[in-house]
Amino acid sequence: MYAIYWNGKLLATHGTFPPDPSWHWSEGAQTFDLGPMNQGVLAVRVYKYPLGSYQDGLQGGFYAPPVIGSAQAISREKSDTEYLSLQHRQFAFAIDSLEALVLLLSFLFWWRDRSQRVLLWTALYCLTQLFLALLLTTLHTPLSFRFAQGIDEPLQVLQDVTLWFLLLWLLGLRSNERVMRWTRALVWVNFVFQLADGATCFLDWSRYGVTV
């Protein structure tokens, strides 16, 4: 989240600052109108939120230098940026399409024969992959960071669990009671810790952030 000042006057804000901070999980490039071109001082106020459990400290602030120009130039720059972003994700789109096909076929065949659990685990794994990729990244859905982080953790758990059981079926270990017992125990451990991690995003820990 940030606020833009032009010659000391607040021009625009993106997100909200403490005491009730709010920002989005995934977004494209943002554009703002500075008004008639003239000499002035541009200042940016940025809020650095507390680090999450799997962040590297690079989040917050600018991801790239800001670009200033005429409305036409900025519009072209944004269009080019979005086009390149879509172009670079073509392979990811192909993988998402393949996973959607596997999801549909696996679910249909499992529905016909419920004893084929491997098809159910495959369908659930593809479902979590698609949900995480499309809703939280590719589509730039305007979800708040707290909400997106809160649902990301349970989805990560489901993704891990389905992959574990899928591997047990593929490796022929489902008849090994000891392995299955340890797997179920790890499922509950993973579920509890991941859910607790995601739940912290809904708590009021924003006052520990840094504003610069």
Side-chain angles (χ1 to χ4, degrees):
M1 70 190 69
Y2 53 86
I4 299 177
Y5 296 85
W6 180 246
N7 290 331
K9 295 183 179 180
L10 179 62
L11 179 70
T13 60
H14 193 64
T16 58
F17 284 85
D20 188 22
S22 175
W23 62 97
H24 292 165
W25 173 273
S26 175
E27 296 178 290
Q30 305 296 312
T31 60
F32 302 97
D33 185 6
L34 297 179
M37 297 299 295
N38 54 58
Q39 187 175 5
V41 177
L42 178 67
V44 181
R45 181 189 181 203
V46 178
Y47 172 74
K48 181 66 178 74
Y49 55 84
L51 291 177
S53 59
Y54 57 85
Q55 293 168 341
D56 53 17
L58 299 178
Q59 292 76 19
F62 292 116
Y63 278 91
V67 178
I68 300 178
S70 65
Q72 294 79 9
I74 294 300
S75 178
R76 289 195 298 269
E77 180 72 17
K78 184 177 182 181
S79 297
D80 291 343
T81 300
E82 293 176 345
Y83 174 77
L84 288 176
S85 177
L86 290 174
Q87 188 179 49
H88 292 161
R89 287 196 56 82
Q90 290 305 304
F91 180 74
F93 289 147
I95 296 298
D96 292 341
S97 300
L98 180 61
E99 287 180 340
L101 178 61
V102 173
L103 165 63
L104 178 61
L105 294 177
S106 298
F107 182 78
L108 290 177
F109 285 122
W110 171 79
W111 190 263
R112 294 183 60 184
D113 185 0
R114 308 293 179 82
S115 64
Q116 298 297 322
R117 293 287 185 88
V118 65
L119 297 175
L120 176 61
W121 301 128
T122 302
L124 290 176
Y125 178 77
C126 291
L127 179 63
T128 55
Q129 283 281 89
L130 285 173
F131 201 90
L132 289 170
L134 295 178
L135 183 62
L136 299 183
T137 304
T138 305
L139 299 181
H140 292 308
T141 308
L143 298 175
S144 70
F145 183 88
R146 288 183 181 180
F147 179 78
Q149 180 79 38
I151 64 174
D152 176 71
E153 299 291 350
L155 287 174
Q156 293 285 358
V157 173
L158 182 59
Q159 185 182 54
D160 293 341
V161 169
T162 52
L163 181 59
W164 293 349
F165 283 107
L166 178 59
L167 289 175
L168 290 178
W169 276 78
L170 294 177
L171 297 176
L173 297 175
R174 62 185 184 276
S175 59
N176 189 322
E177 186 58 33
R178 183 179 181 183
V179 173
M180 293 296 294
R181 184 168 58 252
W182 273 102
T183 302
R184 296 189 188 99
L186 290 175
V187 165
W188 284 108
V189 171
N190 191 15
F191 176 77
V192 170
F193 279 94
Q194 288 276 58
L195 196 61
D197 187 22
T200 59
C201 295
F202 294 104
L203 303 178
D204 185 18
W205 45 271
S206 57
R207 60 182 178 274
Y208 302 111
V210 178
T211 303
V212 296

